[in-house]
């Protein structure tokens, strides 16, 4: 999510930079178009319908890397959110402060053609295609703002690590129930071709009903597909459980607990699908056989 470094040259005090849309090359626009076409074709039956609606409402279906000024006009009209450009990761409190003020920070750079399937750092495709469409959903929009406010508060409690796991397992890798089965809404999934299939269809990962304490204690992986996904009933329910609850006592209680490793089920889990974990176990076994081989995949693609 964020890391502490020094303010990049040319950045404002809030770490934002101009998007400088005119300087994108034809090749960079073509990379966006290629990624967009692939995801737009496979997502409609998999993603929560509001996401596809967001692509339309925000006119992200037009070719090329979106121009933030145009995007922001429509986004502002829908829910009062804005997208602002940054060079890369920003310090936690800067990130939270932007969210608390309904500004979503997005990288301005895009991956190269060689990185179509693999990328460690979040680029504009992940940040804008993955995160922005759902910001037209009024309740999800409120959740994102509340999360930012909660982040500023968690910083004062020394509990950022606990709250960051909630972001990971909702905003980045969340699944949601629907009348026609589970759907995707997490940006880390919907911006990744491979994980958009894996998260819903593969027998390997656990799919567990979201429980705040459980999520806050659960480790996550940034180097490969998730070993567990957490499922919400609705955005309304997510908002109610988070914004309207005082996390102070929860942080105090969880502070001393050791984290739960990925891939474990625990007594009390409301398990929707007990994963076989075969995908993760297979990767681990292969890595032991060939120790010098690095098995990597995007964490944010
Ligand atoms: N209500 C939480 C608190 O007391 C803040 C929060 C809201 C956290 C929404 C996450 C999401 O700190
Ligand atoms: Co993200």
């Amino acid at each position: 999510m964020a890391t502490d470094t020094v303010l990049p040259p040319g950045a404002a005090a809030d770490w934002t930079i101009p998007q400088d849309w005119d300087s994108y090359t034809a090749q960079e626009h073509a990379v966006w178009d290629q990624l967009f076409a692939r995801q737009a074709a496979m997502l409609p039956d998999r993603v929560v319908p509001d996401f596809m609606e967001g692509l339309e409402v925000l006119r992200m279906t037009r070719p090329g890397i979106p121009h933030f000024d145009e995007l922001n006009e429509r986004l502002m009209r829908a829910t009062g959110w804005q997208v602002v450009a940054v060079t890369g990761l920003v310090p936690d409190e800067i990130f939270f402060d932007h969210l608390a003020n309904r500004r979503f920070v997005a990288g301005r750079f895009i991956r190269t053609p060689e990185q179509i399937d693999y990328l460690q750092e979040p680029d504009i495709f992940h940040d804008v295609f993955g995160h922005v469409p759902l910001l037209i959903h009024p309740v999800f929009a409120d959740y994102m703002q509340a999360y930012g406010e909660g982040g500023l508060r968690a910083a004062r409690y020394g509990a950022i690590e606990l709250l960051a796991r909630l972001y990971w397992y909702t905003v980045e890798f969340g699944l949601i129930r629907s009348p026609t089965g589970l759907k995707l809404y997490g940006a880390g999934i919907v911006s990744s071709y491979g994980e958009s299939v894996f998260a819903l269809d593969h027998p390997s990962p656990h799919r567990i009903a979201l429980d705040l304490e459980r999520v806050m204690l659960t480790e996550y992986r940034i180097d490969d597909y998730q070993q567990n996904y957490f499922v919400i009933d609705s955005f309304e329910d997510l908002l109610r459980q988070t914004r309207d609850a005082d996390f102070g006592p929860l942080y105090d209680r969880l502070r001393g607990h050791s984290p739960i490793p990925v891939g474990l089920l625990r007594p009390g889990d409301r398990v929707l699908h007990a994963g076989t974990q075969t995908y993760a176990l297979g990767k681990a076994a292969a890595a032991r056989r060939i120790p010098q081989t690095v098995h990597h995949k995007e964490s944010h693609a």
Side-chain angles (χ1 to χ4, degrees), residues 175-177 182 205-210 229-233 265 269-275:
L175 302 181
I176 185 167
R177 285 183 203 256
L182 296 186
H206 302 311
R207 300 181 183 91
I208 308 167
L210 183 104
Y229 297 97
F230 290 93
V231 181
I232 61 170
D233 286 336
L265 289 176
D269 283 346
R270 284 182 296 144
V271 180
L272 306 181
H273 167 81

Side-chain angles (χ1 to χ4, degrees), residues 104 122 126-127 131 167 171-172 187-188 300:
F104 190 79
H126 166 77
D127 283 336
H131 285 280
Y167 191 88
V171 178
E172 294 292 356
H300 265 106

